[in-house]
Amino acid sequence: MRSFEIKNRTSTEEIKSLRLITAIKTPYLPDGRFDLEAYDALVNVQIKNGAEGVIVGGTTGEGQLMSWDEHIMLIGHTINCYGGSIKVIGNTGSNSTREAVHATEQGFAVGMHAALHINPYYGKTSLEGLVSHFGRVLSMGPTIIYNVPSRTGQDIPPQVISTLAQSANSANLAGVKECIGNDRIKQHIDKGIVVWSGNDDECHDSRWNHGATGVISVTSNLVPGLMRDLMFGGKNPSLNAKLMPLIEWLFQEPNPIGLNTALAQLGVVRPVFRLPYVPLPFAKRVDFVNLVKNIGREYFVGDKDVQVLDDHDFIVLDRY
Amino acid sequence: MRSFEIKNRTSTEEIKSLRLITAIKTPYLPDGRFDLEAYDALVNVQIKNGAEGVIVGGTTGEGQLMSWDEHIMLIGHTINCYGGSIKVIGNTGSNSTREAVHATEQGFAVGMHAALHINPYYGKTSLEGLVSHFGRVLSMGPTIIYNVPSRTGQDIPPQVISTLAQSANSANLAGVKECIGNDRIKQHIDKGIVVWSGNDDECHDSRWNHGATGVISVTSNLVPGLMRDLMFGGKNPSLNAKLMPLIEWLFQEPNPIGLNTALAQLGVVRPVFRLPYVPLPFAKRVDFVNLVKNIGREYFVGDKDVQVLDDHDFIVLDRY
Amino acid sequence: MRSFEIKNRTSTEEIKSLRLITAIKTPYLPDGRFDLEAYDALVNVQIKNGAEGVIVGGTTGEGQLMSWDEHIMLIGHTINCYGGSIKVIGNTGSNSTREAVHATEQGFAVGMHAALHINPYYGKTSLEGLVSHFGRVLSMGPTIIYNVPSRTGQDIPPQVISTLAQSANSANLAGVKECIGNDRIKQHIDKGIVVWSGNDDECHDSRWNHGATGVISVTSNLVPGLMRDLMFGGKNPSLNAKLMPLIEWLFQEPNPIGLNTALAQLGVVRPVFRLPYVPLPFAKRVDFVNLVKNIGREYFVGDKDVQVLDDHDFIVLDRY
Amino acid sequence: MRSFEIKNRTSTEEIKSLRLITAIKTPYLPDGRFDLEAYDALVNVQIKNGAEGVIVGGTTGEGQLMSWDEHIMLIGHTINCYGGSIKVIGNTGSNSTREAVHATEQGFAVGMHAALHINPYYGKTSLEGLVSHFGRVLSMGPTIIYNVPSRTGQDIPPQVISTLAQSANSANLAGVKECIGNDRIKQHIDKGIVVWSGNDDECHDSRWNHGATGVISVTSNLVPGLMRDLMFGGKNPSLNAKLMPLIEWLFQEPNPIGLNTALAQLGVVRPVFRLPYVPLPFAKRVDFVNLVKNIGREYFVGDKDVQVLDDHDFIVLDRY
């Protein structure tokens, strides 16, 4: 189901060179459908502040809470509107190989530049199964493999990556989004594998001390310009230290709970949550206002005053 | 779920000016998935020969045999590759208002220029129901209403069109694809409604004698240049007469049975059918070869010799 | 995907003997989901009054407005609760052969007794295509073919039925639900094909004068006992005449608009409509109250007073 | 969307009393659809050997590789055929609350006796989010909560269970399938929470030394009678020791890789795998044959000779 006509087709080499990729938030309308106007504003602010790529429907963007048709639509929308300005990487991974194959085929058909692929979380599989799973999707286009055992319950060992890097479709392997830490990053780099840090709190060191190409970031949803500086401006431990309290606040609960709460407080998305996500409690929302003041409102997305928001301001949905 | 960022957004006025719109064929791989390479070639030949729009997933393109995710993907693909060269009109209609609303929202989100909307076939409804159904989708973007009682079992009476033309969202009403005939076309024209003929055998007269803007054509899949001449070159009864045997052949069985058979014989699509469609029988395939010879192979799409094809050349699928 | 373990498996012969089958209404909650409690009450009143079968998700039950998972769930629910008391016939037909095959397989897997199959409406196909389409599903279990050209835009000619009746899977062909009229019914009967009338206004004559086995009825949703009498009690032109004004009222707009309005007025379903259906207007609702009084409230389902209902009592949904 | 008509409705107390529940394997046809005949045979052998419940579409049954309509269909099928002989517990959990709510509603509508609910794996959430997620589904019927951090990446702490046990719908909380170990089991038991071991290698001790009610077992797919003895026959360390090599073999790779390989070798399911699962390698298949001989072929399901099977005997599918 291949097409050679896709506009703005991107080479794997271009993907390999990206330093700041944002795992973009998906905002919702009060009835739970996508709020595309808010989404467009979020993407525009990323482009304006120098992000080079977006992950559409990652765990941050709550791809796991989308139907596949919503998911592919959002990839298509993003490509249509922004494909010339930013690289669009669709999270078309799944713990079901059938779903991953189908979604990846569709994502490339609507023009996405690259795919992000997770190992089969929850169901898990053997190493042979991992190689078979990734092998099925690697043939379709530029691919980033995503390793996050704290979510998947299973590490992707370096030997699996090496096997893929030597497979028939290795030219499509852009690299690895790695959350295990800097030692693992070094292991990959030593074998010539491109790596992005998947941990905002480590990404400065990963980039400048351990050979990572860049970061796939959650925090950049909030402060894209500062994250751009962190990835492009050379070693900058003081900026890194300045961001650390924000990052710690963001990840005190499973992402994107913090991010969703923060973007609502900044007035750039409606305070609408799809369950099982719920907002951070009141005290934490007060903390966020203080964090914004300490870092400087001007570095954050949006132009409204940051607010605490009351519990009753939030809409939490189980049907949508 | 509206976005103001869609690339190549088209005005209703632009849609109203189109003279040749092709209800494009969807070609398949042997396992029943879309054959996007063949599809791309079909669209390219339309652009090259002067078609100004394509209907994606119409009854000709077998939208009724697609899952909605396939359908939206094909619209997104077409916009991504060809949105700058040709108007892309998605058939996001359905006999279920829920489906029509959902698909139309998604189609516009991925960038389609206009929607084609059928009245609720099979289930049918009252005139009030028709107005409510069309009213729900008309707000979303440029819209063509499609009237084909021989398929739907129910005529859309002119008063329904008039009501929509006076509704709050009338600015989105591009016009009507009308299959009832030239008297009805005249009725619409007299009220200032733009009309496209939905009958290839009548479209010459509709265009030049009855005020139709153009045609939404099946035959143009085969001979796009000749159909272009028919819609742009002024009255041309001899060309019309020359095409008539081809048109009659094409519609001897419910469309797209003839078209599918013909495109396979021309070697531009694989001979793969999704049931309930089956190829025309051998004798009819012989007739088609003779038709091509009489009109001239050079006017038809593709550059291979036209073939009869044996029964065993065809793949007919009930699962895909 | 066959199972030999299904409980209460029914033979084709048993299906052939049914005289009163009700095309059961699907009632909704205010958010558009199924109202199973109301549904259960509707089915119970059918059983109590002597209906021998129900069509689940027919056009009357608005199968065309269901997602397939809703549809199969409703079949499964009906079998689970009532499979021992009434024959459960799932309308697993579709204009897409793929969908019909998939749904029929699933319907028999959850235990339905028989399938109702329509010809491919809207998309239509050739006679060869019709035979291929029905042939694919006939192998799975007892099957009733449904002919209603006023909805499908295409008659199923008797020769198609004859071909199926002589095919390898003919033992599964229970018969035809025929809406063309009594001459056609006679044609089928003469060939030994079992027929149910699909027209309530003709069913008395079809049954007693033209050889029909019975009726697949809409009106029996309202007055099951009277319809039972009409099918079981011998010729009864006075009862037939008594029912005629009700039947005419019911079918003044495309079914199930009248039925939905009536059942809401009788207080047995919530006044919730899925678009494209909308209630009959006020004046017609007044007429219904008079019809009920003339025939006798005691013959109608439910035990509340029949009401006119105001426009604002109705909920009309385009998302659900 | 509640019904009070469901046949064989089960009380939470009945669920609480079950000692041997099998997480039943889903067998496939060569094209990847369900092999219902093989499935029926598997369930029948469970009933015959004294299993009291089955989990349908658990991780063992590969619910994560099913479409939801397949999943609900399989629950409906199981209830229809076996609902009077064995308790049918549907794994209608999901990491998406929307999906869990929808599937659970449908599962109870088709008659399942209880639901199994996992915490949101992969996406994860906060403790407040966990309580909200489980709270949404607990209202619908008898519920078992499933805790398996090695798959989900997140432990369900006892306080979440306690909160649910004190909530408005606590009467529906049947208990917990716990994989953390015997200390945790004791914690639950001390609070009056019913627990099933989710680890076959620990279940003997959990049952006889730590207060577990029973086991939700994988191994019982292979040796249901021996697992019945283990749960019903009193302390039996020698039987436990006899089974241990088999259990270790089964779980050397993520379940159900071992189980799928074993059942194919026993000739009771076709050797068909849905990716990302692949069979155990040849040497391990030889080991299994020896294990069967040591324990005794007569204790295993099926009546064919156990075979090693060659690599080319297996069918591994990425589309189905």
Side-chain angles (χ1 to χ4, degrees), chain C residues 1-5 7 33-34 36-37 40 44 69 73 77 79-82 102 105-106 109, chain D residues 1-5 7 33-34 36-37 40 44 69 73 77 79-82 102 105-106 109:
Chain C
M1 223 188 68
R2 181 152 305 190
S3 165
F4 297 100
E5 292 278 338
K7 282 284 170 54
R33 285 179 298 148
F34 295 164
L36 288 186
E37 289 183 49
D40 291 345
N44 273 322
D69 68 318
M73 179 274 276
H77 170 77
I79 275 287
N80 177 277
C81 298
Y82 309 105
H102 184 70
E105 220 171 43
Q106 295 211 329
Chain D
M1 225 190 68
R2 184 152 304 191
S3 165
F4 297 100
E5 292 277 341
K7 282 285 169 56
R33 285 178 298 146
F34 296 163
L36 289 185
E37 289 183 50
D40 291 344
N44 273 322
D69 68 318
M73 179 273 278
H77 171 76
I79 275 288
N80 176 277
C81 297
Y82 310 105
H102 184 70
E105 218 171 45
Q106 295 211 329

Side-chain angles (χ1 to χ4, degrees), chain B residues 71-289:
Chain B
H71 200 129
I72 300 300
M73 180 272 277
L74 193 62
I75 293 172
H77 171 76
T78 311
I79 275 287
N80 176 277
C81 298
Y82 308 104
S85 308
I86 199 164
K87 296 303 174 198
V88 178
I89 302 160
N91 172 28
T92 55
S94 173
N95 62 348
S96 159
T97 308
R98 166 168 68 170
E99 287 189 18
V101 165
H102 184 70
T104 305
E105 219 171 43
Q106 294 211 330
F108 280 119
V110 301
M112 71 178 180
H113 296 128
L116 181 72
H117 278 289
I118 193 75
N119 51 316
Y121 46 86
Y122 184 50
K124 305 199 287 190
T125 188
S126 61
L127 296 192
E128 293 79 2
L130 286 176
V131 169
S132 290
H133 177 85
F134 288 127
R136 286 306 196 282
V137 291
L138 192 58
S139 63
M140 299 187 194
T143 302
I144 299 173
I145 306 282
Y146 180 19
N147 189 32
V148 57
S150 65
R151 287 187 179 278
T152 62
Q154 185 177 34
D155 182 34
I156 307 173
Q159 68 198 88
V160 168
I161 304 296
S162 300
T163 302
L164 296 170
Q166 290 153 21
S167 69
N169 294 303
S170 62
N172 283 334
L173 182 63
V176 178
K177 176 185 178 188
E178 185 59 78
C179 299
I180 285 279
N182 286 324
D183 289 349
R184 176 66 64 84
I185 287 177
K186 181 138 192 336
Q187 273 187 277
H188 289 310
I189 300 296
D190 289 348
K191 291 188 196 158
I193 305 288
V194 168
V195 180
W196 293 269
S197 170
N199 297 330
D200 285 339
D201 61 346
E202 292 183 336
C203 71
H204 174 269
D205 293 355
S206 302
R207 168 85 176 96
W208 301 112
N209 299 339
H210 302 277
T213 288
V215 65
I216 297 182
S217 178
V218 175
T219 308
S220 56
N221 278 281
L222 295 175
V223 288
L226 297 184
M227 290 304 292
R228 165 96 192 182
D229 289 348
L230 204 66
M231 288 297 105
F232 279 83
K235 281 197 194 185
N236 192 340
S238 77
L239 174 56
N240 196 38
K242 182 181 174 184
L243 287 168
M244 212 48 69
L246 174 64
I247 293 171
E248 283 163 8
W249 183 91
L250 265 180
F251 292 95
Q252 64 188 302
E253 293 287 359
N255 176 54
I257 287 177
L259 179 67
N260 291 349
T261 306
L263 288 169
Q265 291 189 246
L266 290 166
V268 295
V269 307
R270 287 177 167 87
V272 179
F273 281 66
R274 286 182 172 188
L275 278 169
Y277 296 118
V278 294
L280 285 177
F282 190 84
K284 304 296 185 181
R285 303 197 295 261
V286 172
D287 292 347
F288 180 68
V289 169

Side-chain angles (χ1 to χ4, degrees), chain D residues 21 53 57 73 84 126 128 145 171 181 198 212 235 239 268 288 290 296:
Chain D
I21 299 168
M73 179 273 278
S126 61
E128 293 80 2
I145 305 284
K235 280 198 195 186
L239 174 58
V268 295
F288 180 68
N290 292 326

Side-chain angles (χ1 to χ4, degrees), chain C residues 115-136:
Chain C
L116 181 72
H117 278 288
I118 193 75
N119 51 315
Y121 48 84
Y122 184 50
K124 304 199 287 190
T125 188
S126 60
L127 296 192
E128 293 80 3
L130 287 176
V131 170
S132 291
H133 176 85
F134 288 126
R136 286 309 197 278

